[in-house]
Amino acid sequence: MQRISSAADIRSHEFRLNELHNRRLAAELKERQRVVRFNRPERDLERLRRQNKLFVRDRIEALLDPDTPFLELSTLAANKAYDGEVPGAAQVVGIGIVAGREVIVHADDASVKGGAWYPLSVKKIVRALDIAIENRLPVVHLCDCAGGFLPLQAEFFADRYYAGRIFRNQSILSKMGVPQVAIAMGHCTAGGAYVPALSDYNIIVEGTGAIFLGGPPVVKAATGETVSVEELGGAHMHTSVSGTSDYFASSEMHAIAIARDIVARFNRPTKSSMDRVSPEPPAYDASELYGIIPRDPRVQFDMREIIARLVDGSRFHEYQPRYGESLVCGFARLYGYQIGVIANNGVLFSDSALKGAHFIQLCDKHRTPLLFLQNITGFMVGREYERRGITKDGAKLIMAVSGASVPKFTVVCNGSYGAGTFAMAGRAFDPRFMFTWPQSQISAMGAEQAAGVLTHVKARQLTREGGRLSEQELAAIREPILEEYRERSSAYYATSEIWDDGILDPVDTRNALAIVLSASLNTPIEAPHYGVFRM
Amino acid sequence: MKHFFEVDGVDYQFALSRCQRGYRLRLSNKVIAPVAFFQQGEGRGVLTIAGESEPVRFAIDGEVIHVHIRGRTRILHYRDPLRTLACANHEADHLLARAPMPGLVVATSVSPGQPVSAGTALMTIESMKLETTIRSPRDGVIDRIHFNEGESFERGAVLVTLVEEGR
């Protein structure tokens, strides 16, 4: 396989300006993540100490094998919601190694609103369990949840993907033979009580752990019965009387030791067999990505420069390099695993869509996982393109993306707009994992275009009513639309709403992809089959 | 397929195949055997050629290999067949920079008569919310610039024509 020869001039002024800009974005990301992970009001930390509880990060550290990677997912969930007062949506989720097994860790963060579930907390847990189902990953739940945040119950309780889905997903995992271990480290109340109850194994911590459908105040209100936490749902009662819990732990650390001992018994999964060679680092340094990603998101860049800094030896076997050039397709290796890469080098035309659909089927037939690198403003518009069938060719690409049985991974490197978002394996197309780079923008239309359309509509309405708008009035309408549009198409908004599995510092992308690629191979790859391609 | 190396301006083709004690090296019509190499740490080792062992020092920099053997340093250039064979026929089409998509010219960064090398930025175009840099497909001299700033063009239109150097 030929090495990509980079055309980037790393000594140019342009490169240095980009580098400054992108390093600043990466530093801002790291800082936001640090705050979400560790900054808590002193009184909340003091309350944990008084209750003899560990901070969620310390619990996870004790659970994981030392010096192994932990890929935290959706760290910045809810960063734009609830006035920023629910860091990480009060949940920590990630893929880590426990007793040598790849597992999903799901932990309630009791330092945030007592670990109450907000709508986005529920979304984050459901997503974590979807990941466990899709990739057959065992789950360790560290439970410390006071129950749902009741004022917002209409937004997380009854619908298909709301709280019930957590318990449904847990049941499905058990049915699939993918084990779960839960530790009741705090009060597991109401819905939260089912998390340990539906886990194949659960452990309860003496003194702090409790499981009940209704806590003492609810019982008092409902029946007038006065009962203590310990009597109602404590460790002694559940391990010796009700059988709701399996193991009694005298401390949190004891509980974690038991959990690790349980995981150490799990069968090791047989990974999907796949051609693999020894891994090799890229020939170009990943830190050069900072200088390559243009600081102005409207400026086009060659995705081969990105591929050269992600894949083994920067080697890339490009497929159909002379056809449909706005979509770069080709084979590469990532940590020794063969992958098919589909990357945008401009707007999608009929030929690029046909090439993409063909390449996806090729990879699918040969069990080659697909990596989508998005920088897409959409499909080409115009009379000539419609006459040549741009819509039906786009439909072919969407059909291929949806139907592919091999694992798909998506990284939004810059822009993700319109139907291009769909055709490039956006969230709705079930890529196994999806990550975003800090500068990315995701929306149905570009901010300027959308503000233009919306202002135009407003102006027309007024004209019909006999009014007319001055330039200043038009600007007064346009600016707030533009502002809100920009805000809601940012990577931070996308990750806040859990449209992705997290924002990545570009230099960490290769490692993150290696972890999720390895995880994805726990699930056997189905034989390829597709719907009807409109020819 | 045989491997291609260039040493001191001369191209060599050779092939290696397994034999009992290492490899068999076929160089044109000659067969040298056995050939073997044992690495002894960073950039050092023992090379066996036709049964005779020699200490060697080497450094590999991409496709260039520096070898120090028998008191002499030689520089070997590996010729990747994918590239070497592809370069064999220069296409006339490469003297044209075409529009990858319909759009309009934002800025032109070269002028006729100017020599450019492959990859030099020729023009910035705008289309579908994106600014794209049009780069020179190969080394040459700018012959004609077909569109002025602000003018629009269709996909596939020739934007800049080059001529080969020295014409």
Side-chain angles (χ1 to χ4, degrees):
Chain A
M1 244 190 302
Q2 236 178 331
R3 178 165 292 174
I4 294 175
S5 114
S6 175
D9 180 0
I10 61 169
R11 270 176 290 274
S12 71
H13 186 55
E14 197 60 24
F15 189 96
R16 276 208 303 276
L17 288 178
N18 289 341
E19 191 175 13
L20 271 173
H21 171 81
N22 288 305
R23 279 189 190 278
R24 195 178 50 71
L25 293 184
E28 183 197 343
L29 170 67
K30 294 273 157 73
E31 175 56 16
R32 287 198 193 204
Q33 288 179 332
R34 190 194 61 75
V35 167
V36 158
R37 285 177 181 143
F38 301 107
N39 273 25
R40 297 289 181 274
E42 187 48 42
R43 65 186 152 79
D44 288 326
L45 296 175
E46 175 53 35
R47 184 168 40 87
L48 287 184
R49 281 194 288 273
R50 215 173 44 238
Q51 293 172 332
N52 206 17
K53 284 181 181 178
L54 290 173
F55 182 45
V56 64
R57 300 278 159 182
D58 299 323
R59 289 171 174 173
I60 292 173
E61 196 188 330
L63 175 70
L64 297 171
D65 292 359
D67 285 328
T68 55
F70 178 61
L71 178 63
E72 190 179 336
L73 302 172
S74 297
T75 311
L76 295 174
N79 78 91
K80 299 275 182 196
Y82 323 124
D83 298 322
E85 284 177 5
V86 188
Q91 298 293 318
V92 183
V93 162
I95 300 176
I97 311 291
V98 174
R101 273 79 171 170
E102 287 170 328
V103 301
I104 287 275
V105 177
H106 153 230
D108 297 318
D109 184 349
S111 70
V112 180
K113 314 272 177 195
W117 287 352
Y118 279 68
L120 286 169
S121 321
V122 169
K123 193 171 181 183
K124 188 162 165 178
I125 302 168
V126 170
R127 172 63 191 152
L129 295 174
D130 278 344
I131 292 172
I133 290 173
E134 284 176 344
N135 304 286
R136 303 187 72 95
L137 288 168
V139 184
V140 180
H141 301 274
L142 304 180
C143 308
D144 197 346
C145 165
F149 181 69
L150 288 174
L152 294 177
Q153 67 82 26
E155 288 163 53
F156 68 75
F157 177 63
D159 202 6
R160 184 171 182 196
Y161 292 104
Y162 287 0
R165 198 74 181 183
I166 296 172
F167 315 120
R168 178 265 184 194
N169 277 359
Q170 281 195 279
S171 310
I172 297 296
L173 274 171
S174 185
K175 181 167 103 170
M176 289 165 65
V178 179
Q180 296 167 78
V181 187
I183 308 177
M185 294 177 142
H187 293 187
C188 301
T189 318
Y194 287 117
V195 176
L198 289 168
S199 295
D200 294 346
Y201 306 86
N202 81 58
I203 305 152
I204 185 164
V205 180
E206 183 188 20
T208 45
I211 303 171
F212 27 58
L213 284 184
V218 175
V219 172
K220 177 78 184 165
T223 66
E225 187 185 16
T226 309
V227 61
S228 73
V229 166
E230 192 53 39
E231 256 181 297
L232 188 64
H236 287 280
M237 194 285 281
H238 277 315
T239 50
S240 63
V241 180
S242 76
T244 304
S245 288
D246 308 312
Y247 304 89
F248 176 93
S250 45
S251 67
E252 287 197 6
M253 286 313 254
H254 183 209
I256 288 169
I258 298 171
R260 287 182 51 84
D261 208 37
I262 293 168
V263 175
R265 286 188 46 263
F266 291 172
N267 292 332
R268 288 179 192 274
T270 341
K271 300 243 172 189
S272 279
S273 82
M274 178 157 301
D275 182 48
R276 195 172 175 214
V277 299
S278 309
E280 182 190 356
Y284 296 99
D285 201 300
S287 69
E288 289 171 6
L289 287 170
Y290 294 131
I292 285 163
I293 307 160
R295 59 195 183 285
D296 178 350
R298 285 174 313 155
V299 172
Q300 171 82 10
F301 55 96
D302 188 352
M303 271 291 188
R304 293 180 195 87
E305 298 287 353
I306 308 295
I307 297 168
R309 286 153 184 91
L310 284 182
V311 305
D312 288 14
S314 305
R315 279 182 243 281
F316 188 54
H317 176 107
E318 192 167 344
Y319 182 74
Q320 292 192 333
R322 291 160 54 90
Y323 181 73
E325 289 170 65
S326 69
L327 193 66
V328 175
C329 299
F331 300 101
R333 290 191 183 269
L334 196 115
Y335 277 87
Y337 293 106
Q338 174 144 226
I339 55 167
V341 183
I342 301 184
N344 302 114
N345 252 10
V347 63
L348 286 159
F349 294 99
S350 278
D351 54 2
S352 19
L354 292 174
K355 172 177 164 181
H358 181 90
F359 184 72
I360 288 169
Q361 292 182 70
L362 197 61
C363 289
D364 204 14
K365 201 77 180 172
H366 297 282
R367 328 274 70 195
T368 306
L370 287 164
L371 170 63
F372 291 83
L373 299 176
Q374 288 195 358
N375 179 22
I376 180 65
T377 51
F379 283 88
M380 193 69 217
V381 296
R383 189 172 66 157
E384 190 197 336
Y385 300 96
E386 293 295 350
R387 287 173 66 89
R388 281 198 220 151
I390 184 93
T391 305
K392 75 173 187 178
D393 290 335
K396 289 189 194 84
L397 181 53
I398 290 176
M399 187 68 77
V401 166
S402 311
S405 312
V406 289
K408 296 172 284 197
F409 308 93
T410 305
V411 180
V412 183
C413 299
N414 188 41
S416 179
Y417 294 102
T421 301
F422 305 150
M424 287 297 292
R427 188 61 146 183
F429 293 80
D430 290 342
R432 293 287 182 92
F433 293 88
M434 174 144 177
F435 299 106
T436 307
W437 285 357
Q439 186 174 250
S440 300
Q441 295 184 324
I442 303 108
S443 61
M445 207 191 256
E448 272 85 17
Q449 289 75 12
V453 171
L454 293 172
T455 319
H456 180 72
V457 170
K458 273 243 166 95
R460 254 213 339 237
Q461 268 172 5
L462 266 167
T463 322
R464 270 202 300 273
E465 291 154 16
R468 251 199 101 213
L469 288 170
S470 69
E471 278 303 311
Q472 285 93 333
E473 283 170 317
L474 274 174
I477 296 173
R478 203 179 129 81
E479 279 313 310
I481 296 174
L482 207 56
E483 195 45 48
E484 198 204 322
Y485 213 92
R486 283 212 185 100
E487 173 70 21
R488 301 185 89 181
S489 55
S490 72
Y492 285 101
Y493 185 81
T495 209
S496 179
E497 292 294 308
I498 319 182
W499 296 346
D500 64 11
D501 297 309
I503 302 182
L504 287 178
D505 180 342
V507 301
D508 296 331
T509 307
R510 178 175 154 86
N511 284 341
L513 287 174
I515 292 173
V516 296
L517 185 53
S518 166
S520 76
L521 298 176
N522 293 327
T523 305
I525 302 173
E526 280 177 48
H529 56 283
Y530 291 91
V532 179
F533 288 94
R534 179 173 296 279
M535 298 295 181
Chain B
M1 188 178 239
K2 289 186 173 167
H3 295 279
F4 300 81
F5 272 95
E6 181 242 288
V7 186
D8 300 334
V10 183
D11 282 329
Y12 295 91
Q13 285 186 36
F14 73 91
L16 280 173
S17 56
R18 282 269 187 197
C19 73
Q20 262 183 343
R21 287 177 301 131
Y23 291 89
R24 190 182 290 120
L25 179 89
R26 287 176 194 280
L27 188 67
S28 335
N29 297 325
K30 265 195 294 184
V31 177
I32 303 167
V35 175
F37 178 66
F38 299 99
Q39 188 156 353
Q40 300 172 317
E42 189 83 1
R44 285 190 308 118
V46 173
L47 189 63
T48 306
I49 304 166
E52 281 189 38
S53 294
E54 293 281 344
V56 289
R57 289 180 157 277
F58 64 92
I60 300 176
D61 175 16
E63 293 177 354
V64 182
I65 305 159
H66 304 260
V67 185
H68 186 80
I69 186 166
R70 291 178 187 156
R72 280 188 63 187
T73 299
R74 294 188 182 268
I75 300 167
L76 283 68
H77 294 264
Y78 177 64
R79 295 269 183 247
D80 183 345
L82 287 174
R83 205 170 42 245
T84 314
L85 299 173
C87 288
N89 73 69
H90 266 298
E91 292 172 62
D93 200 37
H94 282 177
L95 288 165
L96 307 174
R98 289 180 182 276
M101 58 193 94
L104 54 89
V105 179
V106 176
T108 306
S109 35
V110 290
S111 42
Q114 185 179 333
V116 291
S117 41
T120 304
L122 305 177
M123 197 179 255
T124 305
I125 63 163
E126 193 199 306
S127 171
M128 296 286 287
K129 313 189 272 286
L130 268 186
E131 281 185 12
T132 308
T133 305
I134 303 297
R135 294 182 181 280
S136 178
R138 53 173 292 185
D139 296 355
V141 176
I142 303 294
D143 183 32
R144 259 189 79 189
I145 292 159
H146 297 260
F147 295 91
N148 294 322
E149 287 171 17
E151 282 186 329
S152 62
F153 47 79
E154 280 306 301
R155 183 191 191 191
V158 175
L159 300 177
V160 178
T161 315
L162 302 164
V163 284
E164 280 183 54
E165 263 169 307
R167 277 211 187 156

